[in-house]
Amino acid sequence: MNKLETIGWDSSVQDIDKENIARVIAVQKNSYRILDGEMEYFSHLSGKFINQALTSLDYPAVGDWVEVQKLPKEQKAVIHQIQPRKSQFVRQAAGTKTEAQIVAANMDTVFIVNSLNHDLNLRRMERYILSTYESGATPVIVLTKKDECTQEETDLIVAQVEEVAIGVPIIPISSITQEGIEELMTYLPAGETAALLGSSGVGKSTLVNTLIGNKVQETKDVREADSKGRHTTTHREMFLLPNGALLIDTPGMRELQLWEGESSIDATFQDIETLESECKFTDCQHDTEPGCRVQEALANGELLEERFLSYLKLQRELAYEKRKQDQKAQLAEKSKWKKISKHQKDNYKHRKKR
């Protein structure tokens, strides 16, 4: 095994000079920590890289493979290029600007972490599942703090989650009693990368410490009154587990605004998609049309109204985001050609003066 394979290098990746390849293991603002399988380096982006980056998606994220120039004596490096990603979890950045934010890259699995207390939110879970399918990774639901619930309560919550996480593995665990940890590890084989995603206070950092067997992440208690978590992880970071798997921990997300997901909505809502295919008319609006299978399922309780409304809401949200992104792309293109035109005019004036 070469040194890059110890940090998740996939041997099927195109043949390139591996000597100058490293993996991004932490991102803090404009600073990047990278690892080449032997040594860590603090790195920054080359001027050419910055000039050629057009959007936030062009910048390195935790999990990325990058081409670098190493300065071993100073333990520093310069990042020149990102290798093509096999997966990327993207969300709409918080705030009002239309901008993508990469949460993690090149992961095989996404652990969608919820706690078995008041944090459980099925509608939010649907968003995470949709974004995970869109990322190119495989979703797994992890329900933490099993030690705080009875078996009956756990079974009830798992049954609720099964209704929205169709075909997705669901693993209730306890970082205190270690229950469920062995099953979780079956989704963390050596050489593969997983990312932990979820709200603050659901136990992501505690889980990282449990899996590593050492306190590498700070943890804080959850407020008793509303089970709201407090931010502990402040940046994204990748850890190497004792068995050779890699785990990306991420700060808690208060909200998950969708960036894309049109191609994965059918996998996330396959129950509704199946019902729609059984409607009498192919262009059924699921309103007052005769022979509407969706309305029939809503009436007899086969399909919950909350889930159907969530499906419609996410479709509207994705359509709205697409319109905003298209509008931004048009403005960016217009701005680019204005700059080119101005540059050409300036050159023409300069030549005339000569």
Side-chain angles (χ1 to χ4, degrees):
M1 181 184 287
N2 69 45
K3 62 181 184 178
L4 289 181
E5 286 175 354
T6 65
I7 51 172
W9 180 262
D10 184 350
S11 56
S12 68
V13 178
Q14 70 270 29
D15 189 28
I16 54 174
D17 180 12
K18 298 185 183 71
E19 194 53 43
N20 296 318
I21 297 294
R23 197 167 192 194
V24 179
I25 60 170
V27 176
Q28 284 180 287
K29 295 187 178 176
N30 299 321
S31 173
Y32 302 88
R33 238 171 66 226
I34 63 172
L35 178 66
D36 66 1
E38 290 179 344
M39 186 183 289
E40 274 190 32
Y41 299 83
F42 288 94
S43 59
H44 64 272
L45 304 174
S46 70
K48 185 180 179 184
F49 186 111
I50 294 169
N51 288 333
Q52 290 181 342
L54 298 175
T55 73
S56 56
L57 295 176
D58 297 327
Y59 285 86
V62 173
D64 266 328
W65 294 100
V66 288
E67 191 177 319
V68 300
Q69 178 188 352
K70 300 174 188 173
L71 307 167
K73 289 180 181 176
E74 300 174 45
Q75 217 173 330
K76 291 181 180 177
V78 181
I79 296 174
H80 290 285
Q81 191 178 339
I82 298 174
Q83 295 301 306
R85 297 169 176 136
K86 69 175 180 181
S87 61
Q88 57 179 25
F89 191 101
V90 182
R91 71 165 181 166
Q92 158 71 25
T96 55
K97 282 176 70 177
T98 303
E99 192 169 50
Q101 181 185 54
I102 296 189
V103 179
N106 295 315
M107 61 281 165
D108 302 282
T109 305
V110 168
F111 291 130
I112 302 166
V113 188
N114 281 256
S115 60
L116 282 159
N117 59 12
H118 304 309
D119 167 76
L120 195 76
N121 184 318
L122 298 179
R123 305 286 78 85
R124 185 170 60 217
M125 196 177 286
E126 288 167 341
R127 288 173 173 269
Y128 276 101
I129 294 169
L130 176 60
S131 294
T132 300
Y133 278 132
E134 193 68 21
S135 78
T138 303
V140 173
I141 305 291
V142 179
L143 301 174
T144 60
K145 307 185 183 181
K146 189 175 187 299
D147 51 284
E148 296 181 14
C149 300
T150 64
Q151 189 59 51
E152 190 179 351
E153 289 169 334
T154 300
D155 291 344
L156 183 63
I157 292 170
V158 168
Q160 291 175 343
V161 173
E162 282 174 340
E163 291 184 355
V164 301
I166 299 165
V168 178
I170 303 165
I171 310 172
I173 67 160
S174 167
S175 292
I176 293 174
T177 66
Q178 305 288 301
E179 195 173 350
I181 297 296
E182 191 177 332
E183 184 184 354
L184 183 69
M185 288 304 298
T186 63
Y187 296 94
L188 278 167
E192 289 202 3
T193 303
L196 292 174
L197 299 179
S199 306
S200 297
V202 296
K204 296 192 301 298
S205 296
T206 302
L207 180 55
V208 171
N209 293 339
T210 299
L211 295 176
I212 291 177
N214 192 14
K215 189 173 182 182
V216 293
Q217 292 288 72
E218 284 296 319
T219 59
K220 286 183 183 174
D221 293 333
V222 170
R223 291 198 300 258
E224 289 282 339
D226 56 6
S227 295
K228 294 287 184 186
R230 306 172 193 173
H231 280 291
T232 45
T233 304
T234 56
H235 62 277
R236 299 172 187 90
E237 186 167 1
M238 186 165 68
F239 298 93
L240 183 61
L241 301 186
N243 76 329
L246 297 118
L247 188 62
I248 299 172
D249 191 15
T250 63
M253 289 191 263
R254 289 191 180 90
E255 59 178 343
L256 176 62
Q257 285 185 278
L258 300 177
W259 178 255
E260 52 196 359
E262 284 179 307
S263 62
S264 301
I265 201 156
D266 56 340
T268 310
F269 292 92
Q270 51 193 276
D271 52 337
I272 298 177
E273 298 273 331
T274 299
L275 290 171
E276 287 183 328
S277 69
E278 295 170 0
C279 287
K280 184 176 180 180
F281 302 107
T282 53
D283 60 346
C284 184
Q285 299 299 302
H286 317 305
D287 189 12
T288 56
E289 293 89 344
C292 175
R293 184 71 179 84
V294 172
Q295 285 298 327
E296 180 190 330
L298 287 167
N300 65 23
E302 186 183 346
L303 173 63
L304 293 177
E305 186 178 7
E306 294 90 339
R307 180 157 170 83
F308 183 57
L309 292 176
S310 174
Y311 171 70
L312 297 177
K313 182 184 177 184
L314 290 175
Q315 282 186 319
R316 286 195 302 271
E317 189 175 322
L318 286 168
Y320 174 66
E321 283 300 330
K322 193 172 186 337
R323 285 197 302 274
K324 279 205 304 181
Q325 290 166 29
D326 288 347
Q327 188 178 23
K328 187 182 179 184
Q330 287 170 7
L331 290 170
E333 188 72 9
K334 194 174 178 182
S335 173
K336 183 181 85 172
W337 286 109
K338 275 177 79 174
K339 284 178 185 173
I340 290 171
S341 177
K342 184 179 184 304
H343 182 65
Q344 288 172 336
K345 282 178 185 174
D346 289 344
N347 282 347
Y348 177 70
K349 285 177 185 174
H350 183 66
R351 284 198 303 271
K352 277 191 76 175
K353 283 179 183 176
R354 289 167 61 191

